[in-house]
Amino acid sequence: MKRHVRYPLYFIAPAFAVYFALFVFPALSGFAYSFTDWSAYSEETKWIGLDNYRQLFSEGVLGLAIKNTLLYALVVTIFVNLFGLILALLLNRNSRLGKFYRTSFYTPVVIAPLIVGYLFTAIYNPEQGILNEALRFFGLGRFAVDWLNDSRYALFSIMLTELWRSSGFAMVIYLAGLKTIPQDLLEQASVDGAGAFRKFRNVTFPLLAPSFTVNLLLTVINSLKVFETVLVLTNGGPGYDTEVFNTLIFRNFSRGNWGYATASGLVLTIIVSVIAVTFLRILRKREVEL
């Protein structure tokens, strides 16, 4: 009997070993190394306590990275979900071209962020980029600017890139939620004289609460962890005007300041966890109230 009970544990042992080696052990070792002077410039690693964290919070770059990351996450979360919901509502009808449009809007999601970054680097090129060429063609040459090297537009350009890439993912989640809404409720609302807006506000929107929870939570987490797109488009520049948390961590790792970089990574983990848990509680409470 005892042997029969233990038998299923053999199946999870390989998966647990891989998970421990690739996730648990690196996380624990990273936490420990954040309290050391681990670097490429010394063969010995010494315990220095909270010195890495003191240095991190005393530098002005950290505040700028946090501000840029939070601003990016806020704007991207709002507009990705807004555009995704609009696309889902427009494509919820069964039509011959519906599948084509859904595939077209979802395709950017499966493209690697690095490739998207290189693609939009060409689009934003100030001299031969498609965007500025189109503006000049339509007589709007005064709006043709250096999108990635001007501090006024660089972060905005990165946000636009992410909106193009991620809106299709939000669209798919909202489409799945729309398919679960009973048509009887919508028909009953129409019989009662409700227009399109009232049906959306009183029927569709409340029943989409689970989809909103999933989309908002995933978008917030992914936005706070943005890295590849910023790295390729601006590398945190011009200056530090588009520096985000992960580019700050990458910059210190590439300089050999590994202990300092792991401390930065731990701070990012705490920020993402706190924001994600807060969002989850608020959204779950909203689901219950609706």
Side-chain angles (χ1 to χ4, degrees):
M1 182 68 180
K2 187 176 182 180
R3 183 179 179 182
H4 176 73
V5 172
R6 289 184 176 181
Y7 180 75
L9 298 178
Y10 299 151
F11 290 103
I12 67 172
F16 179 78
V18 172
Y19 179 77
F20 182 85
L22 298 181
F23 295 97
V24 178
F25 178 74
L28 295 177
S29 60
F31 175 77
Y33 277 119
S34 69
F35 298 98
T36 68
D37 63 349
W38 183 37
S39 72
Y41 311 107
S42 176
E43 294 182 359
E44 296 183 1
T45 300
K46 298 179 182 179
W47 183 270
I48 59 173
L50 297 175
D51 287 356
N52 284 327
Y53 296 95
R54 293 191 188 99
Q55 181 183 351
L56 179 64
F57 284 99
S58 65
E59 292 185 351
V61 178
L62 175 65
L64 190 58
I66 291 176
K67 185 193 75 172
N68 289 336
T69 303
L70 293 179
L71 178 61
Y72 174 91
L74 176 64
V75 174
V76 168
T77 299
I78 292 174
F79 286 97
V80 161
N81 283 277
L82 177 62
F83 293 155
L85 178 59
I86 292 173
L87 290 173
L89 292 172
L90 292 175
L91 299 177
N92 190 38
R93 303 173 183 176
N94 293 322
S95 63
R96 289 183 296 178
L97 295 177
K99 293 182 179 179
F100 169 77
Y101 286 125
R102 294 173 193 172
T103 303
S104 299
F105 286 121
Y106 186 76
T107 298
V109 179
V110 301
I111 302 176
L114 286 175
I115 297 177
V116 172
Y118 286 119
L119 174 64
F120 274 83
T121 298
I123 292 175
Y124 290 137
N125 186 287
E127 300 299 329
Q128 301 176 341
I130 297 175
L131 179 56
N132 281 349
E133 288 292 333
L135 291 173
R136 296 187 187 103
F137 178 81
F138 289 105
L140 301 174
R142 64 182 181 277
F143 296 110
V145 297
D146 193 346
W147 297 98
L148 299 178
N149 295 309
D150 191 322
S151 59
R152 294 172 296 176
Y153 310 109
L155 188 59
F156 171 74
S157 301
I158 298 172
M159 293 174 183
L160 285 181
T161 304
E162 186 61 24
L163 293 181
W164 178 84
R165 193 182 76 87
S166 300
S167 295
F169 180 82
M171 175 198 71
V172 170
I173 301 297
Y174 287 128
L175 272 173
L178 289 172
K179 296 300 182 182
T180 64
I181 298 177
Q183 292 299 313
D184 295 343
L185 295 178
L186 297 173
E187 293 174 0
Q188 183 62 44
S190 299
V191 171
D192 293 339
F197 177 76
R198 287 185 60 190
K199 285 193 293 184
F200 174 79
R201 185 186 63 182
N202 298 325
V203 180
T204 304
F205 185 74
L207 295 178
L208 277 179
S211 299
F212 272 101
T213 298
V214 172
N215 263 332
L216 287 173
L217 192 61
L218 291 178
T219 309
V220 166
I221 293 174
N222 291 331
S223 299
L224 290 171
K225 298 192 302 179
V226 61
F227 173 61
E228 296 98 330
T229 307
V230 178
L231 181 68
V232 174
L233 289 176
T234 64
N235 194 25
Y240 293 102
D241 289 323
T242 60
E243 185 87 314
V244 293
F245 229 114
N246 271 325
T247 57
L248 176 64
I249 296 170
F250 175 77
R251 198 181 308 279
N252 283 285
F253 259 113
S254 62
R255 292 172 179 172
N257 301 321
W258 301 327
Y260 181 83
T262 53
S264 305
L266 182 59
V267 172
L268 175 61
T269 301
I270 293 173
I271 292 175
V272 172
S273 300
V274 170
I275 293 177
V277 170
T278 303
F279 259 77
L280 183 61
R281 287 188 175 184
I282 294 173
L283 294 171
R284 287 296 188 189
K285 182 178 179 181
R286 173 180 173 269
E287 287 185 30
V288 173
E289 291 175 352
L290 293 175

